[in-house]
Amino acid sequence: MDPALFAALAEPNRVRIVELLNAAPRPVGEIATALGLRQPQTTKHLQALQRAGLVVMEPLGQRRIYALRRGPLRELRQWLAGFEADHPSESVLAEYRVAIAAEPLSAHEFHRTLSAPPATVWEWWTSPDLARRWWHPAHFEVADCVLRPVVGGALSIVLREGDGALYSSAGRYLEVVPPERLRFELSPLDGNGIPLFRADHLLELTSVTGGTRVDLRIDVSDPTPGSEPAMAGIRFGWNQLLDTLAHVINSATS
């Protein structure tokens, strides 16, 4: 879309001229009278609209009649139509604001059914290469991933946002029973590498007809001052993560 179109319509009197010409072509004197402007001022506005391609001047003898060019306005309407549908992330942001204002939850539960056997799903949770493909919410990517799925083994995820900002989480494995049960701590870190809160994750994989039932419980404790936004984001973030996991697994098995 040509920015000159927006510049031309940014002046209120020019918008009024477009509205007048929408009803019918008019001479400059009639437009000036309707706007309560002097004719030279009106002419300048018409010239700006003409340069933007919104109006055309037709000489009729000694009269100059200005008419609307509707093509650019139709293009503008088509361009604006691309903004009609809400983006899913916008509703998530609205819910996130409400969650921040509410009392933080100390426990979260998530459930999914994936179209792969437990052993395969286990690999997606414990292989760094596979985890990079899903362990990030929308608008992020995994910048670094360390997974050592043994009791006491390190677990860390570094996410990179579109502007390059990095967000780190770290913890350790507490229980490892392949391919059925995985318990680990994974807490977001502040700028000094201090956990914002403690997050205990319990993952259970159960074989069901057609795939695997995934049950994830996250217990949150020991929040630090200012950790409310991060705590409020747990439900939204993990729902996105698990949806992405389901998508990549379904794509890999289809």
Side-chain angles (χ1 to χ4, degrees):
M1 181 54 58
D2 187 355
L5 186 65
F6 295 99
L9 293 173
E11 210 286 331
N13 283 314
R14 295 173 195 160
V15 174
R16 293 175 63 193
I17 290 173
V18 169
E19 291 173 342
L20 285 170
L21 296 181
N22 182 47
R26 302 173 190 270
V28 63
E30 183 179 336
I31 297 172
T33 300
L35 295 180
L37 299 176
R38 291 184 295 118
Q39 187 162 318
Q41 290 177 289
T42 304
T43 299
K44 288 184 179 180
H45 287 313
L46 285 164
Q47 289 171 343
L49 292 170
Q50 194 170 4
R51 286 193 297 270
L54 285 167
V55 303
V56 61
M57 189 274 290
E58 300 288 354
L60 295 181
Q62 296 183 352
R63 301 173 68 218
R64 294 182 176 182
I65 305 299
Y66 286 87
L68 197 61
R69 292 187 69 246
R70 299 181 182 273
L73 293 173
R74 293 190 183 101
E75 293 175 5
L76 176 61
R77 181 181 62 189
Q78 293 174 355
W79 182 78
L80 290 172
F83 296 86
E84 290 181 0
D86 295 334
H87 192 281
S89 294
E90 293 166 352
S91 61
V92 170
L93 288 172
E95 293 175 20
Y96 182 48
R97 287 194 296 269
V98 173
I100 292 175
E103 185 72 21
L105 296 177
S106 60
H108 302 266
E109 293 188 358
F110 306 90
H111 310 282
R112 295 290 191 282
T113 299
L114 307 181
S115 60
T120 299
V121 177
W122 179 271
E123 287 296 318
W124 283 91
W125 279 86
T126 57
S127 165
D129 289 339
L130 294 178
R132 284 175 179 272
R133 296 173 57 184
W134 69 271
W135 207 315
H136 57 86
H139 314 300
F140 288 81
E141 64 179 2
V142 177
D144 191 34
C145 177
V146 175
L147 304 179
R148 298 191 179 96
V150 296
V151 174
L155 167 65
S156 68
I157 302 287
V158 179
L159 300 178
R160 181 188 294 115
E161 202 168 6
D163 61 0
L166 299 176
Y167 302 88
S168 299
S169 298
R172 61 192 177 96
Y173 288 94
L174 305 174
E175 185 179 358
V176 181
V177 184
E180 300 173 357
R181 184 180 176 94
L182 197 62
R183 183 172 165 233
F184 56 89
E185 291 180 359
L186 183 64
S187 302
L189 308 179
D190 66 13
N192 297 316
I194 305 300
L196 294 174
F197 51 82
R198 183 174 181 271
D200 189 324
H201 300 67
L202 176 61
L203 172 71
E204 295 182 306
L205 306 179
T206 305
S207 179
V208 296
T209 302
T212 301
R213 176 180 169 85
V214 175
D215 296 293
L216 175 65
R217 178 182 173 89
I218 303 176
D219 291 297
V220 180
S221 60
D222 304 325
T224 60
S227 63
E228 292 82 5
M231 293 177 65
I234 291 175
R235 179 169 66 88
F236 305 104
W238 271 102
N239 272 324
Q240 289 187 3
L241 263 59
L242 294 173
D243 287 346
T244 302
L245 175 61
H247 174 72
V248 295
I249 287 181
N250 289 339
S251 298
T253 58
S254 60

